[in-house]
Amino acid sequence: MYRSHTCGELRIINKGTQVTLAGWVQTVRKLGASITFVDLRDRYGITQLLFNEELTKQLEENPLGREFVLQTTGTVNERSNKNGNIPTGEIEIAVTSFKILNKSAVPPFTIQDDTDGGDDLRMKYRYLDLRRNAVKKNLELRYAVNRAARNYLHQQGFMDIETPFLIKSTPEGARDFVVPSRMNPGQFYALPQSPQTFKQLLMVSGYDRYYQVVKCFRDEDLRADRQPEFTQIDCEMAFVEQEDILNMFEGMIKSIFKEVKGIEYAETVQRMTWEDAMWNYGNDKPDIRFDMKVLNLKKPATVYTDKQDNAALINDAGFKVFDEAETVVAISVPGCSEYSRKQTDELTEWVKRPQIGMKGLVFIKVNADGTYKSSVDKFYPEEKLKAIADATNANAGDLILILAGAEERTRKSISDLRMEMAGRLGLRKDTEFKLLWVLDFPLFEYDEEGNRWVARHHPFTSPKPEQIETMINNNPVIDNAAEYLKHPYASIKANAYDMVLNGNEIGGGSIRIFQRELQEKMFAALGMNEEEQLHKFGFLLGAFEYGAPPHGGIAFGFDRLCSILGGSESIRDFIAFPKNNSGRDVMLDAPATIDEKQFEELQIKLNLKS
Amino acid sequence: MYRSHTCGELRIINKGTQVTLAGWVQTVRKLGASITFVDLRDRYGITQLLFNEELTKQLEENPLGREFVLQTTGTVNERSNKNGNIPTGEIEIAVTSFKILNKSAVPPFTIQDDTDGGDDLRMKYRYLDLRRNAVKKNLELRYAVNRAARNYLHQQGFMDIETPFLIKSTPEGARDFVVPSRMNPGQFYALPQSPQTFKQLLMVSGYDRYYQVVKCFRDEDLRADRQPEFTQIDCEMAFVEQEDILNMFEGMIKSIFKEVKGIEYAETVQRMTWEDAMWNYGNDKPDIRFDMKVLNLKKPATVYTDKQDNAALINDAGFKVFDEAETVVAISVPGCSEYSRKQTDELTEWVKRPQIGMKGLVFIKVNADGTYKSSVDKFYPEEKLKAIADATNANAGDLILILAGAEERTRKSISDLRMEMAGRLGLRKDTEFKLLWVLDFPLFEYDEEGNRWVARHHPFTSPKPEQIETMINNNPVIDNAAEYLKHPYASIKANAYDMVLNGNEIGGGSIRIFQRELQEKMFAALGMNEEEQLHKFGFLLGAFEYGAPPHGGIAFGFDRLCSILGGSESIRDFIAFPKNNSGRDVMLDAPATIDEKQFEELQIKLNLKS
């Protein structure tokens, strides 16, 4: 061993001990000719080294630079000038000998929390970026979450069972990465998008509580914060109903909170139907750290819900914008009634940005003196403004923001606006955590292009038990595209659940179909003929013939969960070697060309478009 | 939850309790019209159910078959006819109601330890095979090993850090699996053969103790018991020397022994140089559960060792077979001097099999009465036979077996013969575990075809510190192929180590090169020019510029380790969803063809050789 102690462990009680440390030179400070201070860094901390006059002379012959690897022996002394900011700040090592284990070129950026390195540079030299304390803390948090999840699941009787990575391509929605098989020319493996079917087979096999912390792969165009390979905490249970899964996995997340963040999440995890989430928050993963619920002033005649809007509050006022809009929604933003013209104009510009795409913004100021002031005073007298304000539960001093337009975009926009205003008001606190279960999702989504149904979650999700008959007994074909919402399938709810943390979906799952007949009906509903069903999922349909138990599960997005717990927006900060938005590892310079010999052996060739 | 208890937990103390169980029907025994016994099975055990006359009637309308999924409620009763073989054998459930949760077709083989299913059938229906207790025990053992390894490493301060799966193809020795990149047309990712370079980068980054239980991939022609995807316990440490690694990881294996098998492995783990292993056992992974060391009667003039043979014992006897052989080696097999002619003939046939490939077998019987009898009596009088026998440390009653031929094959054959005889004598006990470190491997192997050096372990392994100069200061080019053993590189030993368990290599690793100059020299020695070095490993050479610490590590073959601990020869029995010898998953029927659309998106096409 090159060291007797780490750079993070020596304290005043070690005073007088002879020690050997090894680590990286963080800083060198020479005080005249007689003394040199060196901060030596390793994974565990920083320790100050003191080089006396003689050793300072030796250093002149072998000068130390930043990031040099140094081994040093000396005695632990009490510091005269103590540093209360670091745990080793009371001591220093009076060096008696040292050895430079390796030199370092000048790093392309500073190895500090507030580095001067840009994103590209840091990714290219990721091995240096990983030395920064900020990144190290993220990876330590990731490991702590991993441990906490595993320990909880182990205690609950779950077994880690590894599922294969070289499987069969069955693209449904997302694209598979494929791997040519040399031993089976002309054939390809696929990398798993998730171990979904395998974990279901394990339930059929009787392993009743399975988990894995496992890499998954999706060949999708990368948006910010999507990675082609990502990690899931993947779980499945047999002989359970939805309620069992919800209890088990809120237990897991609470256990992670406790182990990793020291947070005792004692309160009951809230639950909300998908319909309520959409209606009250415009979003299926609402952030409930703050209130600011959506008031539905107007909804289209045919929509996902039969909840009642408040159209009476805005109708018959001659305001064409509202009259012609499909949907009108409002939120009341606390304490913003004093917004200046400049501020409301800026907000209007904000909702008109292409990412939001609204045509304008209506506001009502609920003034502290009890008066109302609106951008639509012309159409709505004060008592009407008051009625709207009351319906949003506004208080004096609040600012009501109203959006109007096509249903889907307007609903999404009010959700975005709600999040934006909460951000501006400091209501989205990194240190506050609010869990939520969103339940009762629709089983199917309507695909306009194909005039057909697609699975909202995945094809293995079961309908609510009381709707199985509806599903079995109806033809999935949509005769009248305009009235697809009247098709019996439109109202089938799934036995599915998402776990939402601070407005992010961190996990999702469902009770699965376990009957062959129902599974076949599902595949057929998604437009798969019998041959295709057997080719892609014959093994699963076969397995359902031999005593498949009722089962269900959930998968957590491990990267995302870590980033939220770490108070960051970016999952990349929590992955040791992430890829950029073009799916490239700029450090490795991968992907790359391969040798002619590899093409020959695999019996494939390129077919590049011009 | 579909159950209040599992099928493995009820005992006599639960007598009188109302319970609900769910599981699979193992057997149905109807006693006349009045009573039916059903054995209900789940992951945790088997519980006997008793159906009374009324319920037996109900069963007639809904007959139960093997592997039906049944939910049943009833009362725990004491059994009149107790079964001491199972933990639940003192009780049974007097059923009050039941529900068939799912039916089952008749399984294609019996779900029992001694199943009637052949290998192909069981792999096709792997989800049923996994129900068998024999397979379940293997996966449980695998999980226990996984837990034990993780817990030990965690306690020792190691961090699980995930490394990427989509990396760059840098084939060295084994072939990479490659993955076409849709977003970077014409370019490919590779799946990692191991996280080798990443874990080294993590050491450069300062993470000083890393581990991962991780899938690795090699596109090699599959021999029995090789899988294209396999799992490693992968570890790396910084600021360590070989001794530190040996101590740390024999600690890990001892901890696994204790946690998984309840074995306190108190003895010191033996160590042996590679040279001694080859000389005394004919093999670099000797099984030391038994002795039977090899006696070297003759060795070629130029060979890996300068140890002295015992040629005087066989020379000048006029026996051409020995005189013309490059190598003559012997073992003394305890207690087999009474072997009949038929038995020695059979052994002779055994060594002549193509897998062994020897031309014949010479034996000397050390009779109980002190006389000697040999197949070469004609050439060797009794005192010469005695001298040979004494040199092998034979006792009265032993049978000495002698092989002669070309060095490499003969040495391998005596090793195979030693293992075979030990097997016949019952000396290779499943329940006995003997660890061994094999050390001081040659750094290079000679590649006859290319007349060049290849890395015996991998190109990142460092030479012994005292041989670094030899490596730096000599030209790797081999001028005289016939005398390659005289090249200075032939005698360079590696800072590498293998852990051997019962004659199987379960882990291997090395202290790594951490200096750019030495790494470049190594790449050059392996025939890589500068351009190729930079293209393939530029990131690593770059990392070595910025303060790389001394480091080393090890990787354990997790599948193999589990199979040995489980007392099995086959790693496939310890993998939930293994592939067959053609790399196929016969259950999924993968690999398979992919869609035209996938080819188009990936911009590749097939190029099949007629």
Side-chain angles (χ1 to χ4, degrees):
Chain A
M1 203 73 86
Y2 284 76
R3 65 190 176 201
S4 63
H5 295 77
T6 70
C7 296
E9 72 179 303
L10 293 168
R11 300 286 184 277
I12 193 76
I13 55 157
N14 303 106
K15 195 172 149 180
T17 313
Q18 171 95 348
V19 299
T20 301
L21 302 185
W24 285 264
V25 172
Q26 178 84 7
T27 55
V28 181
R29 279 165 294 139
K30 202 175 155 191
L31 301 188
S34 59
I35 280 189
T36 307
F37 288 111
V38 171
D39 276 353
L40 195 67
R41 187 197 71 232
D42 69 7
R43 176 181 149 199
Y44 310 92
I46 286 180
T47 297
Q48 178 167 294
L49 310 178
L50 170 67
F51 290 72
N52 63 19
E53 189 163 357
E54 189 197 327
L55 289 160
T56 295
K57 246 177 235 151
Q58 288 183 32
L59 281 183
E60 271 163 32
E61 285 149 44
N62 299 285
L64 294 177
R66 275 202 285 150
E67 302 304 320
F68 274 41
V69 186
L70 187 70
Q71 184 187 32
T72 181
T73 297
T75 310
V76 180
N77 279 358
E78 186 164 358
R79 264 160 86 161
S80 48
N81 194 3
K82 291 182 182 166
N83 178 353
N85 296 323
I86 56 171
T88 61
E90 291 194 280
I91 58 98
E92 67 192 4
I93 310 300
V95 174
T96 51
S97 68
F98 69 93
K99 187 178 174 191
I100 294 172
L101 297 175
N102 216 342
K103 296 184 175 185
S104 175
V106 176
F109 52 85
T110 57
I111 313 290
Q112 290 170 346
D113 279 10
D114 50 342
T115 181
D116 54 358
D119 200 51
D120 289 351
L121 200 61
R122 289 191 293 109
M123 284 302 142
K124 178 160 186 211
Y125 295 92
R126 182 64 168 171
Y127 46 84
L128 297 180
D129 196 32
L130 287 170
R131 282 188 193 164
R132 295 194 306 119
N133 199 46
V135 184
K136 194 188 72 181
K137 270 167 50 191
N138 292 347
L139 294 188
E140 285 174 343
L141 180 136
R142 186 181 177 106
Y143 177 46
V145 175
N146 186 330
R147 279 289 293 176
R150 286 179 183 278
N151 285 342
Y152 176 84
L153 292 167
H154 179 75
Q155 280 153 19
Q156 298 293 333
F158 285 77
M159 257 175 89
D160 181 342
I161 302 176
E162 292 165 68
T163 53
F165 278 68
L166 296 172
I167 65 166
K168 188 171 180 169
S169 186
T170 55
E172 280 300 308
R175 261 183 228 98
D176 285 329
F177 282 105
V178 298
V179 182
S181 167
R182 183 183 54 86
M183 292 179 73
N184 302 274
Q187 301 193 336
F188 293 74
Y189 300 101
L191 299 179
Q193 296 187 26
S194 90
Q196 182 61 36
T197 51
F198 294 100
K199 65 177 176 175
Q200 292 193 243
L201 290 181
L202 288 172
M203 295 306 108
V204 174
S205 300
Y207 289 81
D208 95 5
R209 294 190 171 194
Y210 143 94
Y211 79 97
Q212 223 183 157
V213 181
V214 65
K215 273 282 173 77
C216 301
F217 305 86
R218 270 177 218 175
D219 183 14
E220 288 303 298
D221 297 327
L222 302 174
R223 294 189 301 232
D225 243 27
R226 260 214 209 154
Q227 290 279 314
E229 51 176 308
F230 54 96
T231 306
Q232 279 186 190
I233 305 175
D234 192 53
C235 307
E236 196 82 2
M237 301 174 78
F239 299 118
V240 289
E241 287 156 305
Q242 175 169 301
E243 188 63 28
D244 304 310
I245 305 246
L246 302 190
N247 289 330
M248 179 62 73
F249 291 98
E250 59 189 62
M252 184 181 90
I253 296 294
K254 285 178 176 183
S255 172
I256 290 172
F257 278 147
K258 184 156 181 218
E259 296 297 321
V260 177
K261 305 288 290 182
I263 294 172
E264 201 77 54
Y265 196 101
E267 62 192 290
T268 306
V269 175
Q270 284 189 50
R271 300 180 182 191
M272 194 182 288
T273 65
W274 173 83
E275 217 175 278
D276 282 345
M278 293 303 289
W279 186 252
N280 292 323
Y281 299 90
N283 195 304
D284 62 1
K285 45 182 185 190
D287 189 338
I288 58 166
R289 281 175 294 182
F290 53 94
D291 201 9
M292 243 195 272
K293 282 208 193 74
V294 172
L295 171 69
N296 285 270
L297 287 164
K298 186 177 177 185
K299 66 154 193 171
T302 312
V303 77
Y304 60 90
T305 179
D306 51 13
K307 290 178 193 286
Q308 289 308 303
D309 61 26
N310 294 273
L313 296 176
I314 53 167
N315 282 349
D316 306 321
F319 184 43
K320 267 177 76 175
V321 172
F322 286 178
D323 291 347
E324 288 171 6
E326 202 176 33
T327 292
V328 181
V329 281
I331 54 171
S332 171
V333 185
C336 292
S337 68
E338 306 274 312
Y339 261 34
S340 65
R341 174 66 186 264
K342 193 177 154 200
Q343 284 176 298
T344 52
D345 281 356
E346 186 269 330
L347 270 188
T348 305
E349 287 315 306
W350 191 90
V351 302
K352 285 163 113 174
R353 295 181 319 151
Q355 300 94 311
I356 306 294
M358 299 305 296
K359 296 221 172 83
L361 176 71
V362 169
F363 65 84
I364 305 173
K365 290 176 173 175
V366 186
N367 295 321
D369 63 4
T371 62
Y372 295 82
K373 175 78 191 135
S374 167
S375 56
V376 288
D377 285 350
K378 222 183 338 175
F379 303 98
Y380 296 98
E382 200 155 357
E383 74 268 18
K384 284 213 168 183
L385 296 179
K386 179 177 187 311
I388 295 171
D390 288 350
T392 66
N393 292 319
N395 296 315
D398 289 0
L399 173 69
I400 293 159
L401 302 176
I402 308 177
L403 294 176
E407 163 64 21
E408 209 173 321
R409 178 173 293 262
T410 307
R411 196 160 291 280
K412 183 179 177 306
S413 298
I414 197 74
S415 169
D416 291 346
L417 184 60
R418 178 179 172 270
M419 293 296 275
E420 173 67 17
M421 295 313 295
R424 293 183 186 199
L425 292 170
L427 301 174
R428 293 164 65 186
K429 296 194 194 82
D430 280 358
T431 50
E432 188 186 1
F433 296 98
K434 279 277 189 187
L435 291 168
L436 171 73
W437 285 114
V438 177
L439 306 172
D440 301 346
F441 286 84
L443 185 62
F444 296 102
E445 262 178 357
Y446 177 65
D447 171 42
E448 210 172 303
E449 203 177 318
N451 186 38
R452 64 180 191 91
W453 302 110
V454 292
R456 187 181 169 91
H457 185 196
H458 59 47
F460 313 107
T461 296
S462 74
K464 294 280 170 198
E466 62 274 19
Q467 290 178 301
I468 291 180
E469 290 302 311
T470 309
M471 191 167 147
I472 295 275
N473 296 332
N474 283 286
N475 185 338
V477 170
I478 302 156
D479 292 322
N480 183 349
E483 301 213 308
Y484 76 90
L485 276 164
K486 292 189 178 161
H487 190 286
Y489 274 36
S491 63
I492 298 179
K493 292 282 192 278
N495 245 336
Y497 30 81
D498 277 0
M499 185 177 258
V500 174
L501 175 58
N502 294 0
N504 296 279
E505 183 205 323
I506 57 166
S510 63
I511 299 297
R512 324 298 185 187
I513 295 169
F514 68 105
Q515 311 92 335
R516 178 168 182 148
E517 185 195 7
L518 187 58
Q519 187 64 68
E520 285 173 338
K521 186 76 185 185
M522 171 57 89
F523 286 144
L526 305 177
M528 231 186 273
N529 67 30
E530 205 178 323
E531 192 193 0
E532 201 181 343
Q533 291 179 27
L534 288 175
H535 173 71
K536 288 186 171 171
F537 299 108
F539 62 96
L540 188 70
L541 293 171
F544 285 175
E545 295 270 5
Y546 293 101
H551 62 285
I554 194 165
F556 288 87
F558 184 51
D559 309 297
R560 166 68 57 210
L561 175 60
C562 293
S563 81
I564 299 171
L565 291 175
S568 166
E569 292 282 305
S570 162
I571 62 169
R572 220 176 277 180
D573 296 343
F574 292 78
I575 297 173
F577 299 101
K579 292 186 175 56
N580 73 8
N581 278 351
S582 316
R584 296 199 69 82
D585 183 322
V586 292
M587 179 188 74
L588 296 182
D589 194 22
T593 55
I594 55 173
D595 297 343
E596 196 44 50
K597 189 176 167 220
Q598 290 175 291
F599 282 110
E600 265 169 42
E601 289 185 332
L602 297 172
Q603 303 188 38
I604 58 169
K605 61 181 177 183
L606 294 181
N607 185 24
L608 298 177
K609 292 172 198 157
S610 67
Chain B
M1 202 75 87
Y2 284 77
R3 65 189 176 201
S4 63
H5 296 75
T6 71
C7 296
E9 72 179 300
L10 293 167
R11 301 285 184 277
I12 194 76
I13 55 156
N14 303 105
K15 194 172 150 178
T17 314
Q18 172 95 346
V19 299
T20 301
L21 303 184
W24 286 264
V25 172
Q26 179 84 8
T27 55
V28 181
R29 279 163 295 138
K30 203 175 155 191
L31 301 188
S34 59
I35 280 189
T36 307
F37 287 111
V38 171
D39 276 353
L40 195 67
R41 186 195 73 233
D42 68 8
R43 175 180 150 198
Y44 309 92
I46 287 180
T47 297
Q48 178 167 295
L49 310 177
L50 170 67
F51 290 73
N52 63 19
E53 188 163 0
E54 190 196 326
L55 288 160
T56 294
K57 245 180 234 151
Q58 288 181 31
L59 280 184
E60 271 163 31
E61 285 149 43
N62 299 285
L64 293 177
R66 275 201 286 148
E67 302 304 320
F68 274 42
V69 186
L70 188 70
Q71 183 186 34
T72 180
T73 296
T75 311
V76 181
N77 279 356
E78 186 166 356
R79 263 160 86 160
S80 49
N81 194 2
K82 290 182 182 163
N83 178 351
N85 296 324
I86 57 171
T88 61
E90 291 195 280
I91 58 98
E92 67 192 4
I93 310 301
V95 175
T96 51
S97 69
F98 69 93
K99 186 178 174 191
I100 294 171
L101 297 175
N102 216 342
K103 296 185 175 184
S104 174
V106 176
F109 52 85
T110 56
I111 313 289
Q112 288 170 347
D113 279 8
D114 49 343
T115 181
D116 53 0
D119 200 52
D120 289 351
L121 200 61
R122 289 192 293 110
M123 284 303 142
K124 179 162 183 204
Y125 296 92
R126 182 65 169 170
Y127 46 84
L128 296 179
D129 195 33
L130 287 170
R131 281 187 192 164
R132 295 194 305 120
N133 200 44
V135 184
K136 193 187 72 180
K137 270 167 50 191
N138 292 347
L139 294 188
E140 285 174 342
L141 179 134
R142 185 180 177 106
Y143 178 46
V145 176
N146 187 331
R147 279 288 295 175
R150 286 179 184 278
N151 285 342
Y152 176 84
L153 292 168
H154 179 74
Q155 281 153 18
Q156 298 293 332
F158 285 76
M159 257 177 89
D160 182 342
I161 302 176
E162 292 165 69
T163 53
F165 278 70
L166 296 172
I167 65 166
K168 188 169 178 169
S169 185
T170 55
E172 281 299 309
R175 261 184 229 97
D176 284 329
F177 281 106
V178 298
V179 182
S181 166
R182 181 183 55 85
M183 292 179 73
N184 302 275
Q187 303 193 333
F188 293 74
Y189 301 101
L191 300 179
Q193 296 188 27
S194 91
Q196 182 62 34
T197 50
F198 294 100
K199 65 177 176 175
Q200 293 192 242
L201 291 181
L202 288 172
M203 295 306 108
V204 174
S205 300
Y207 289 81
D208 92 6
R209 295 190 170 194
Y210 144 94
Y211 80 97
Q212 221 182 161
V213 181
V214 65
K215 272 281 173 77
C216 301
F217 304 86
R218 271 176 218 177
D219 183 14
E220 289 303 297
D221 296 327
L222 302 173
R223 295 189 301 232
D225 242 27
R226 260 215 211 154
Q227 290 279 313
E229 51 175 309
F230 54 96
T231 306
Q232 279 186 191
I233 305 176
D234 192 52
C235 308
E236 195 83 2
M237 301 174 78
F239 299 117
V240 289
E241 287 156 305
Q242 175 169 299
E243 188 63 28
D244 304 311
I245 305 245
L246 302 190
N247 289 329
M248 179 62 74
F249 292 97
E250 60 188 61
M252 184 181 91
I253 296 294
K254 285 178 176 182
S255 172
I256 290 171
F257 277 148
K258 184 159 182 217
E259 296 298 320
V260 177
K261 305 288 290 184
I263 294 172
E264 201 77 53
Y265 196 99
E267 63 192 289
T268 307
V269 175
Q270 285 190 47
R271 298 179 183 193
M272 195 182 287
T273 65
W274 172 82
E275 218 175 278
D276 282 346
M278 293 304 289
W279 186 252
N280 293 322
Y281 298 92
N283 195 305
D284 62 2
K285 45 182 186 192
D287 189 337
I288 57 166
R289 280 175 295 183
F290 52 95
D291 201 7
M292 243 195 272
K293 282 207 192 74
V294 172
L295 172 69
N296 285 271
L297 286 164
K298 187 177 178 186
K299 66 155 194 171
T302 311
V303 77
Y304 60 89
T305 180
D306 51 13
K307 290 178 194 286
Q308 290 308 305
D309 62 25
N310 293 274
L313 297 176
I314 53 168
N315 281 350
D316 307 321
F319 184 42
K320 267 176 76 174
V321 172
F322 286 177
D323 291 346
E324 288 171 5
E326 203 176 31
T327 293
V328 181
V329 281
I331 54 171
S332 170
V333 185
C336 291
S337 69
E338 306 273 312
Y339 261 34
S340 65
R341 174 65 185 263
K342 192 176 155 201
Q343 283 174 298
T344 53
D345 281 356
E346 186 268 330
L347 270 188
T348 305
E349 287 314 307
W350 191 90
V351 301
K352 285 163 114 174
R353 296 182 319 150
Q355 300 95 310
I356 306 294
M358 299 305 296
K359 297 223 173 81
L361 176 71
V362 169
F363 64 84
I364 306 174
K365 290 175 171 175
V366 185
N367 295 321
D369 61 5
T371 62
Y372 295 82
K373 175 79 191 136
S374 166
S375 56
V376 289
D377 285 351
K378 225 188 327 179
F379 303 99
Y380 295 98
E382 200 153 358
E383 74 270 16
K384 284 212 167 186
L385 296 179
K386 179 177 187 312
I388 296 171
D390 288 350
T392 66
N393 292 318
N395 294 314
D398 289 359
L399 174 69
I400 293 158
L401 302 176
I402 308 177
L403 294 176
E407 163 65 21
E408 209 173 323
R409 179 174 293 262
T410 307
R411 197 159 291 278
K412 184 179 177 308
S413 298
I414 197 74
S415 170
D416 289 347
L417 184 60
R418 177 178 174 270
M419 293 297 276
E420 173 67 18
M421 296 313 294
R424 293 184 185 197
L425 292 170
L427 300 175
R428 294 165 64 185
K429 296 194 194 81
D430 280 357
T431 52
E432 188 186 359
F433 297 97
K434 279 277 189 188
L435 291 168
L436 171 72
W437 285 113
V438 177
L439 306 173
D440 300 347
F441 285 86
L443 184 62
F444 295 103
E445 262 177 358
Y446 178 64
D447 171 42
E448 210 171 303
E449 204 177 317
N451 185 39
R452 65 179 192 93
W453 301 110
V454 293
R456 188 183 167 90
H457 185 198
H458 58 47
F460 313 106
T461 297
S462 74
K464 294 281 171 198
E466 62 274 18
Q467 290 179 301
I468 291 180
E469 291 302 309
T470 309
M471 192 167 148
I472 295 275
N473 296 332
N474 284 284
N475 185 337
V477 171
I478 302 156
D479 292 322
N480 183 350
E483 301 213 309
Y484 76 90
L485 276 163
K486 292 189 179 162
H487 190 286
Y489 274 37
S491 64
I492 298 179
K493 292 282 193 279
N495 245 336
Y497 30 80
D498 276 359
M499 187 178 255
V500 174
L501 175 58
N502 294 0
N504 296 279
E505 183 206 322
I506 57 167
S510 62
I511 299 297
R512 323 298 183 188
I513 296 169
F514 68 105
Q515 310 93 333
R516 178 166 182 152
E517 185 196 6
L518 186 58
Q519 187 65 68
E520 284 173 339
K521 185 77 185 186
M522 171 58 91
F523 286 145
L526 304 177
M528 231 186 272
N529 66 30
E530 205 178 323
E531 191 192 1
E532 200 182 344
Q533 291 180 28
L534 288 176
H535 174 70
K536 288 184 171 172
F537 298 109
F539 63 95
L540 188 69
L541 292 172
F544 285 177
E545 296 270 6
Y546 294 101
H551 62 284
I554 194 165
F556 289 87
F558 184 50
D559 308 299
R560 167 67 57 209
L561 175 60
C562 293
S563 80
I564 299 170
L565 291 174
S568 166
E569 293 283 305
S570 162
I571 62 169
R572 219 176 280 180
D573 295 344
F574 292 79
I575 297 173
F577 299 101
K579 292 187 175 54
N580 73 8
N581 278 350
S582 317
R584 294 199 71 81
D585 182 322
V586 294
M587 179 189 74
L588 296 182
D589 195 21
T593 54
I594 56 173
D595 296 344
E596 196 46 49
K597 190 176 165 219
Q598 289 174 292
F599 282 110
E600 266 168 42
E601 289 185 331
L602 297 172
Q603 303 188 38
I604 58 169
K605 59 181 179 182
L606 294 181
N607 186 23
L608 298 177
K609 293 171 199 158
S610 64

